[in-house]
Amino acid sequence: MSSPTSVGTYFYTLFPAYPYLALNGPKNSGKSTVLRVLQPLAFNMITTSDPTGPSMFRLIHNTSCTVGIDEAERYHNPRDPGMQQIRQLLNSGYKQGMPAIRVTGDDLKPQAFDVYSPKILAAIMGLEDILASRCIAIPMRRTTRKMPSFPPDFDGAAIRHQLYTLTLTHFQNMYTNYFDRPELHKLHNRSGELWSPLVALAAFFEEQGGVAGLLDAISDAAEWDEQISEGKSLSEREEAVLQALDLLTRKQPEWIKASDLREQVQSLLSYTKEQMGHAQWIGHILNRLQLVDRNRRKAYAGGQMYRIRREELLDMMHRYDVSAIEQ
């Protein structure tokens, strides 16, 4: 995983947009280790868990650095003013031509900061929808094997030299794969923006590096991601929410407590509480699936309740071919 990510960060300026990498998983699942491995390998990489808006604007603008951010779930909180600038930077920084405008100096002169660069976000609880739509998600799981320790004195200089050489000698090949070979690129809209650079890279390494099957693997992953983003398929969590609601509405009234739904989803997915993250995402899923509206939600002492019409739920499960769970 770290090797393809490292290579892409050296070619990113070629592409109109470049996807973020989202590392999602519980504690001790290797997210920080991936960042540590990438640190000496990716292009000008800077890793932090406590960035500030002004420092990030200037750092990316001046160095075009790859940014690794640990504990990125903090950007969920819309009430945190310290995170607002970072959220704006991340929402626009995946694409060229979307600079951040800030006033600087005593004369408050406006300045455009180029915030386009590769970014790698590690989070226990996942990312909110807007930011997640700019990412390719990598689910992280704890290993059952003892892994070798990463050498603390590893500086990656020799590998970086090879990556610089690769970029300078094969830039034209990558340009051709991206801009002059439309048969490689079958996706459109946001999915096309995110996956086309990886498709161009995969074609290069399969055709000139002998990595058999890489292009098909990337193309299949891209197609599945597009189906989810366009609503033609459901994510794992969305399917679990429908199955959980099916179980809960078999014997209970229409009004379902958010806490009960959350516990049922957690059971179906075998998630830890950390993996489940903030409760807000359940409401977002119910809205996206059009199972609730303002008139079908209410607060009670323990949180939120949702009025679920079972006939609508079963219809949604049928439309997306979601199978019922036998209790």
Side-chain angles (χ1 to χ4, degrees):
M1 176 169 55
S2 61
S3 179
T5 302
S6 301
V7 174
T9 62
Y10 288 78
F11 285 98
Y12 88 92
T13 55
L14 167 67
F15 308 121
Y18 194 75
Y20 300 158
L21 187 66
L23 307 175
N24 300 325
K27 289 181 178 179
N28 301 318
S29 60
K31 301 184 298 299
S32 298
T33 301
V34 172
L35 292 175
R36 202 158 58 243
V37 172
L38 287 173
Q39 174 69 51
L41 300 179
F43 181 74
N44 287 357
M45 184 163 174
I46 300 294
T47 301
T48 178
S49 61
D50 189 27
T52 64
S55 64
M56 291 299 295
F57 291 135
R58 288 164 174 78
L59 189 62
I60 297 172
H61 179 79
N62 291 321
T63 68
S64 300
C65 58
T66 301
V67 179
I69 300 180
D70 207 354
E71 302 177 9
E73 62 269 9
R74 293 180 303 150
Y75 307 126
H76 277 297
N77 188 357
R79 297 187 181 92
D80 188 342
M83 296 295 102
Q84 184 175 358
Q85 287 190 335
I86 299 294
R87 284 198 302 271
Q88 292 172 345
L89 181 153
L90 293 174
N91 287 342
S92 60
Y94 81 103
K95 192 173 184 178
Q96 290 195 39
M98 299 180 67
I101 310 298
R102 294 292 181 271
V103 293
T104 60
D106 295 335
D107 57 353
L108 300 181
K109 182 179 180 180
Q111 180 179 352
F113 290 92
D114 183 5
V115 294
Y116 175 51
S117 77
K119 298 174 182 68
I120 304 159
L121 312 174
I124 291 176
M125 297 178 285
L127 304 170
E128 55 88 19
D129 290 347
I130 295 177
L131 182 53
S133 70
R134 279 109 167 110
C135 299
I136 291 176
I138 305 294
M140 304 291 291
R141 298 291 183 265
R142 292 188 179 104
T143 181
T144 57
R145 296 180 292 127
K146 182 174 177 58
M147 304 299 291
S149 300
F150 186 68
D153 58 344
F154 176 71
D155 65 1
I159 298 177
R160 287 200 307 275
H161 173 75
Q162 292 178 328
L163 291 171
Y164 280 119
T165 303
L166 175 72
T167 306
L168 293 172
T169 54
H170 293 285
F171 198 82
Q172 184 59 51
N173 300 93
M174 211 64 68
Y175 181 95
T176 299
N177 284 354
Y178 188 91
F179 291 101
D180 298 333
R181 296 183 64 185
E183 73 278 6
L184 292 176
H185 307 285
K186 302 175 183 179
L187 304 183
H188 307 284
N189 305 322
R190 178 65 56 76
S191 295
E193 280 186 329
L194 297 183
W195 285 93
S196 288
L198 303 189
V199 169
L201 286 161
F204 171 78
F205 285 109
E206 179 166 318
E207 295 166 357
Q208 302 199 33
V211 186
L214 181 60
L215 181 58
D216 283 343
I218 293 295
S219 298
D220 290 345
E223 183 177 353
W224 175 250
D225 186 71
E226 183 183 46
Q227 289 178 358
I228 291 178
S229 65
E230 292 187 353
K232 298 175 184 176
S233 254
L234 299 182
S235 67
E236 181 184 57
R237 285 196 176 196
E238 288 170 330
E239 285 194 9
V241 167
L242 290 180
Q243 291 171 330
L245 286 173
D246 175 41
L247 291 173
L248 292 172
T249 57
R250 290 178 191 178
K251 297 180 180 180
Q252 294 185 14
E254 290 182 328
W255 286 98
I256 302 296
K257 294 180 180 179
S259 58
D260 292 341
L261 177 56
R262 179 185 173 85
E263 290 178 5
Q264 187 69 70
V265 171
Q266 181 180 348
S267 174
L268 291 175
L269 294 176
S270 300
Y271 275 10
T272 64
K273 290 183 178 180
E274 293 168 346
Q275 286 176 281
M276 290 296 293
H278 293 290
Q280 295 174 340
W281 64 264
I282 288 182
H284 293 323
I285 288 178
L286 293 178
N287 283 327
R288 281 203 301 272
L289 297 178
Q290 300 179 356
L291 293 175
V292 298
D293 54 34
R294 290 183 178 180
N295 297 321
R296 290 195 284 170
R297 69 175 66 202
K298 64 181 179 181
Y300 75 107
Q304 288 284 328
M305 297 184 72
Y306 303 104
R307 185 184 181 190
I308 304 297
R309 296 191 176 101
R310 184 163 174 80
E311 64 275 11
E312 293 181 358
L313 169 65
L314 296 178
D315 177 66
M316 190 63 65
M317 294 178 68
H318 175 72
R319 289 172 185 267
Y320 286 98
D321 196 27
V322 176
S323 58
I325 299 293
E326 294 299 328
Q327 193 136 20

